[in-house]
Amino acid sequence: MVVSATFPPGSVAFLQGFVAGQLVLVTILLLLFRYFFIETKPATHAKRLAALRERTRLIQASLDARCPPMPSSHSTLRVPYEQGSQACLLDMLHRLDYELPAHAPETLTWLNVLLAQLCLHYRQSILQSDQEEPRKDADADTLPSMSSAEKAAAKHLLERALNAAVEGRTHDLLSGITVTDVDLGTGYPTLSNARIRPSNDPRCLRLEVDLEYKDLLCVGLDTQLHFRVRPWHLGSLAVAMCLRVERLAGTVAMEVGPCGTEQDPLEGLELRVCMYPDFVLDAHVSSVLGSKSKLHDVPKMEELLLSQLRLLIQRRFVWPEFWRMPLPRMEHDHA
C-alpha cells in the first residue's frame, strides 16, 4: 500500500521491467564473454604454447604497425651473447660508430665541471659539519690550521679521525696528535684526452683519460714520542712534520666488467679504476725533531715518508691493482 501510494502502478511496472531487462542483458553478455574468451577445459601443453605464440604475434604485429620503421643504416639484428664477449664488444663499437685505432681523443670539460662541483661540495660539507666544535685550547688559535674557519673545521675533523685511529694501538708511545696545518686546496682536477682502448680482460673495454691536478694540499702533524721502561718514563721526543702535495698527474684507466677473472668469474659487476705506473707525484716533507736541540728536515725522513706514500698509492691504485666499486646487478632467485 505504501509503495503504490508513493509510485503509481504504471511506474512500478516500468521500473520492474527495466531492472529485469538490464539483468537479462548482463547475463547474456556474461554468457557471450564466457563462450568466446574463457577456456573452460584445461588445454594441453601444445595448445597453450600455440595460443601464447599467437598472442605474442598479434602484439608484435600491432607494435610494428604503429612504430616508424628503423633507418636502413641502423641494424636491428642482435649479436647472440653465446658468441662471446668479443663479438658483443665489436658489435657495440660498430653501433656507436667508434673505431678503436682511428677515433680522436675527446675532451671532458663537462665531466671536469661535475668533478669540480663534487670537490667544492665536499669542502663545504667539512665546514658545515664542524661549525659547533668547541675550542679545547685557546693557544691553538695561533697555529696555521686555525687561520680560517675552513682550516679550523678540517683540523678538528682530521684530529678526531687520527686520534681515534691510533687510540689503544700505540701502547702509550704516542701522545695526542695535533694538526698544526691543513689545507684542502682551492684547485680542481682536470681530465682530458679520453679514448677507448682494448683491455687485458677480453670481457670489457678500457677507458683511458689523462689526469692533471695542480694544487697545494697540506697536512701538518705534531706529537710526542715517549720512551718508557715500565714503570719508568725516560723521556719524550717531540716530532713535527708537514706534507705538501703540489701536483698529481698520470693516466687513469676505468673498466666496467664482471667481477673476478675470466678463469674464475664471480657474480655481479664492478667499476675498476687504476693509474698507470708512470704517474707523477710532486710532494715535499718538512720535519723537526727534538725539543731542546732540534733537527730540521732530516733527508732520510723525507725520503722514507715519500717512498711510503708512493708505495701506498702503488699498492692500492696503480695497475695491476684496481680500486673496485661494486655496481647494482639484476637479482635472481636460485630456488
Side-chain angles (χ1 to χ4, degrees):
M1 297 296 293
V2 177
V3 175
S4 61
T6 306
F7 299 99
S11 299
V12 174
F14 172 78
L15 182 61
Q16 292 175 346
F18 177 78
V19 172
Q22 294 298 317
L23 291 176
V24 171
L25 180 61
V26 170
T27 303
I28 294 175
L29 291 176
L30 290 176
L31 291 175
L32 291 175
F33 183 81
R34 179 179 181 275
Y35 178 78
F36 285 105
F37 299 104
I38 296 180
E39 189 175 30
T40 57
K41 296 181 180 180
T44 62
H45 177 72
K47 287 186 176 181
R48 289 199 302 270
L49 184 59
L52 175 63
R53 290 174 178 171
E54 179 64 16
R55 292 193 297 270
T56 304
R57 185 190 65 80
L58 292 175
I59 291 176
Q60 292 293 334
S62 175
L63 291 176
D64 292 341
R66 286 183 288 172
C67 296
M70 298 297 295
S72 58
S73 59
H74 185 89
S75 174
T76 58
L77 298 177
R78 296 180 180 272
V79 176
Y81 291 108
E82 292 78 6
Q83 292 186 10
S85 300
Q86 286 293 330
C88 293
L89 291 176
L90 292 176
D91 177 70
M92 178 192 71
L93 293 174
H94 174 70
R95 292 174 182 272
L96 296 175
D97 294 329
Y98 196 103
E99 298 182 11
L100 284 180
H103 201 90
E106 301 177 11
T107 61
L108 294 173
T109 306
W110 61 272
L111 183 57
N112 291 332
V113 174
L114 292 180
L115 289 177
Q117 291 184 76
L118 183 64
C119 294
L120 176 62
H121 290 311
Y122 271 125
R123 291 167 181 168
Q124 291 176 340
S125 65
I126 292 177
L127 174 62
Q128 295 171 358
S129 64
D130 208 71
Q131 288 180 342
E132 302 299 328
E133 179 70 17
R135 301 290 180 86
K136 297 181 180 180
D137 188 359
D139 296 335
D141 290 349
T142 59
L143 294 175
S145 58
M146 300 294 290
S147 60
S148 65
E150 292 83 359
K151 287 191 173 187
K155 164 188 165 65
H156 295 144
L157 188 65
L158 188 57
E159 277 185 356
R160 288 200 304 268
L162 291 175
N163 286 303
V166 301
E167 185 178 3
R169 299 182 181 180
T170 60
H171 305 286
D172 296 330
L173 295 179
L174 284 180
S175 60
I177 298 176
T178 301
V179 177
T180 57
D181 194 5
V182 60
D183 196 331
L184 301 180
T186 56
Y188 302 99
T190 57
L191 303 176
S192 60
N193 297 328
R195 60 268 185 194
I196 300 295
R197 295 291 182 263
S199 172
N200 294 339
D201 188 344
R203 301 172 297 174
C204 57
L205 296 172
R206 176 176 297 169
L207 169 65
E208 295 180 355
V209 294
D210 294 336
L211 168 67
E212 181 75 24
Y213 184 31
K214 291 183 178 180
D215 206 346
L216 185 61
L217 306 178
C218 179
V219 176
L221 306 177
D222 187 277
T223 187
Q224 296 280 336
L225 178 61
H226 299 285
F227 298 96
R228 301 177 185 272
V229 178
R230 294 187 181 276
W232 300 285
H233 179 259
L234 303 180
S236 59
L237 175 67
V239 180
M241 62 186 67
C242 185
L243 168 68
R244 286 188 178 181
V245 179
E246 299 175 354
R247 180 173 179 253
L248 176 64
T251 301
V252 178
M254 289 175 277
E255 300 177 358
V256 175
C259 299
T261 62
E262 188 178 14
Q263 294 76 19
D264 186 20
L266 301 175
E267 290 188 358
L269 296 173
E270 63 181 4
L271 171 65
R272 299 187 286 266
V273 182
C274 74
M275 292 187 67
Y276 286 161
D278 58 347
F279 71 95
V280 177
L281 176 65
D282 291 339
H284 303 279
V285 174
S286 180
S287 61
V288 176
L289 301 179
S291 298
K292 297 179 181 179
S293 299
K294 297 180 176 61
L295 294 175
H296 294 268
D297 296 336
V298 180
K300 286 296 183 181
M301 177 172 288
E302 180 179 16
E303 181 181 344
L304 175 63
L305 292 176
L306 291 181
S307 63
Q308 290 298 315
L309 178 60
R310 287 179 175 273
L311 186 61
L312 176 65
I313 296 175
Q314 290 174 351
R315 286 179 175 177
R316 297 193 177 186
F317 305 108
V318 175
W319 188 88
E321 299 298 329
F322 289 90
W323 175 59
R324 302 173 185 270
M325 179 186 299
L327 298 177
R329 62 188 181 93
M330 300 293 290
E331 297 291 342
H332 55 276
D333 190 2
H334 295 280

